[in-house]
Amino acid sequence: MEEIDRLLRADLRGATPYGAPQVDVPVRLNTNENPHPPSAELVAELAGAVGEAARAMNRYPDREAEALRSDLAGYLSRVTGQVVTGDMVWAANGSNEVLQQLLQAFGGPGRTALGFVPTYSMHQLIARGTGTEWLPVPRLDDFRLEPEQAALVVREHAPDIVFLCSPNNPTGTALGLEVVEAVYAATGGLVVVDEAYAEFSARPSVVGLLPGRPRLVVTRTMSKAFAFAAARLGYLAADPAVVSAVQLVRLPYHLSVLTQAAARAALGRADELLGSVAAVVGQRDRLVHEIRAMGLEVVDSDANFVLFGEFGDQHATWQGLLDRGVLVRDVGVPGWLRVTAGTEDETTAFLEALRAGLADAAPPDPDDGRMSA
Ligand SMILES: Cc1ncc(COP(=O)(O)O)c(C=O)c1O
C-alpha cells in the first residue's frame, strides 16, 4: 500500500474516487436515471441490432463512428432547430468520457478549469485526473448565476476551460442563454456547457449558440432522458475543429460496435424513448410541490431531480431515508439532499419516508428555522 502510494502521482495521493453508493434497496433515487425501462419491443429491437453488429465482431468497429454521429446530429438538429452536421458531433462511452477527452486535449498540467459550485462532481474529478487545476467559484445564494457576475469571475481568473452546467447538477438550476453568451465573451478559453439534463427542460438549448462561437462546446448524454444509462453513450456538439482536437487524445476504437449499434437503434426510436420525459417531469413537479408543503425548501428545477433542505444534519436525514428503504444522494452540500424523480410509486415511497422521518425528528429550532432532522 505504502509502496503504491509512493509511486502514485503526488496530486492523486489521498484522493477519493467518484462514489455514488450502489446500495441494493427497493427505491433508488440517487443517480438521476430515468426510472422507465425499455419496452419489450425496444428490447427486441436492440437485441436484433446488437446481434447483427456481432456478426462483424472479428473486426474493429468504425473508429470515427460516422453513422452514429450523423444520427446524433440529426437528432440534435430536430430537437434544437439548429442545423448540426455529423462533423460537429463526437461520441464516446458516456458524456464523462467526452468531458475527459476535452480535458485531455484542452486542459492538463499548467492549465486551469473553472466551475460554478455546487456542480457536477465529475467536472472537478476529471480535471484532477487530467492534471488540470480546478478553480471552484461559488454560485449566488440561491444557486443562480447572473451574466455580469459570471463574466466578471471568468475575466478575473482567465481559465483555459469554463464549465457551465444547464440544468445544473445537483441544483436543477437552468441557465439563461445570456449567461453563456456573457461567459463566452469574457474568455478566450474553451466554454463547455454540460446539457446532460436538457431534455427535461423547456428552455432553448445552448446548441443554438454554436454558430460563430468556435470555442463553445455542448455535451449531452443518452443516460438520462433517453433511459439508456447502461449502454454508456454521450456526445458533444461543437465546431468541427474541436472534434478534430479530441480525436488526438481518444483511444482508437473506443466505442464498441455493440454500443454504436445499440445507440443507433435507440435513436431510431427516440420519440418512444423520450415519451417518458413528461411523466418524469410530472413527478419532479410533484416532488417540488409536496416537499414544499412539508415546510422544507426546494430549489426550482429544470431537471429530473430536485435539491431539498435545509437540514441541520443532512446526512442523518439521508440515513433515515435509507433505513426506510429509499436511497437519495448526499452530494456534500451542507443542509441539502438531492432526490431523483422516480416512477409514481417510487416518488410516493420517497415522500412517505420523508414525511415519516420529519414526524420522528425533533421540532424545528425556533432560533434558525432549520429542521433538525
Ligand atoms: C451534469 C452531468 N453531466 C454528465 C453526466 C454523466 O453522464 P454519462 O457519463 O452517463 O453520460 C452526469 C451524470 O450524472 C451529470 O449529472
Side-chain angles (χ1 to χ4, degrees):
M1 182 68 185
E2 273 170 30
E3 193 68 354
I4 297 301
D5 237 34
R6 185 178 59 77
L7 298 175
L8 190 63
R9 267 169 38 192
D11 59 329
L12 292 180
R13 273 180 219 140
T16 42
Y18 174 86
Q22 290 197 303
V23 187
D24 193 12
V25 287
V27 182
R28 285 181 291 159
L29 300 174
N30 73 326
T31 44
N32 299 343
E33 293 142 321
N34 185 321
H36 301 282
S39 66
E41 297 80 51
L42 183 58
V43 170
E45 195 165 319
L46 288 173
V50 166
E52 194 53 41
R55 290 172 187 275
M57 199 74 102
N58 56 315
R59 299 288 186 185
Y60 284 114
D62 173 8
R63 204 172 41 215
E64 314 302 349
E66 302 258 8
L68 171 60
R69 286 164 58 204
S70 156
D71 288 355
L72 288 165
Y75 165 71
L76 272 187
S77 304
R78 185 160 68 81
V79 294
T80 66
Q82 176 64 50
V83 177
V84 177
T85 49
D87 60 350
M88 296 169 65
V89 172
W90 181 246
N93 296 281
S95 50
N96 281 332
E97 188 179 33
V98 172
L99 294 170
Q100 185 177 49
Q101 291 171 342
L102 284 168
L103 266 82
Q104 285 175 319
F106 296 101
R111 296 194 173 199
T112 54
L114 181 149
F116 294 91
V117 295
T119 192
Y120 180 44
S121 62
M122 282 307 297
H123 295 166
Q124 174 175 9
L125 292 187
I126 292 172
R128 185 181 73 196
T130 56
T132 313
E133 187 188 340
W134 173 246
L135 302 175
V137 174
R139 290 173 163 259
L140 296 172
D141 275 352
D142 50 2
F143 302 118
R144 270 178 315 113
L145 290 185
E146 290 294 344
E148 303 76 33
Q149 156 254 2
L152 193 73
V153 162
V154 166
R155 219 171 275 122
E156 189 180 305
H157 291 275
D160 297 286
I161 300 164
V162 180
F163 279 111
L164 295 171
C165 192
S166 182
N168 183 51
N169 178 5
T171 59
T173 325
L175 290 180
L177 294 183
E178 64 284 1
V179 176
V180 181
E181 289 170 316
V183 165
Y184 189 89
T187 176
L190 202 70
V191 177
V192 178
V193 185
D194 185 334
E195 281 197 347
Y197 300 97
E199 286 94 343
F200 298 109
S201 171
R203 293 179 188 245
S205 167
V206 173
V207 167
L209 295 182
L210 286 176
R213 292 188 178 82
R215 296 176 287 105
L216 181 61
V217 183
V218 182
T219 61
R220 289 245 180 161
T221 181
M222 291 179 71
S223 297
K224 308 296 178 182
F226 265 94
F228 216 55
R232 311 302 301 128
L233 201 288
Y235 54 102
L236 65 74
D239 189 280
V242 171
V243 174
S244 302
V246 294
Q247 285 174 330
L248 298 173
V249 297
R250 64 103 156 86
L251 295 174
Y253 317 110
H254 67 296
L255 210 47
S256 94
V257 71
L258 304 181
T259 308
Q260 293 187 39
R264 293 196 68 203
L267 282 164
R269 296 179 64 135
D271 289 343
E272 176 189 331
L273 276 164
L274 296 174
S276 60
V277 165
V280 171
V281 166
Q283 293 306 312
R284 174 200 72 202
D285 292 344
R286 178 180 167 215
L287 282 170
V288 174
H289 184 74
E290 296 204 23
I291 300 173
R292 281 184 185 155
M294 293 179 210
L296 295 172
E297 299 282 329
V298 186
V299 181
D300 285 335
S301 172
D302 266 42
N304 65 334
F305 55 83
V306 302
L307 193 70
F308 64 104
E310 294 187 38
F311 303 102
D313 177 356
Q314 88 277 352
H315 200 73
T317 307
W318 178 87
Q319 186 63 55
L321 289 167
L322 186 59
D323 293 344
R324 291 179 163 87
V326 180
L327 180 61
V328 300
R329 190 73 181 277
D330 181 353
V331 283
V333 181
W336 298 86
L337 292 171
R338 191 194 69 194
V339 62
T340 308
T343 59
E344 186 172 353
D345 285 354
E346 288 171 332
T347 307
T348 301
F350 159 75
L351 289 166
E352 281 173 0
L354 182 62
R355 219 171 266 124
L358 291 178
D360 283 357
D365 179 343
D367 288 334
D368 66 3
R370 289 173 162 217
M371 305 298 291
S372 56

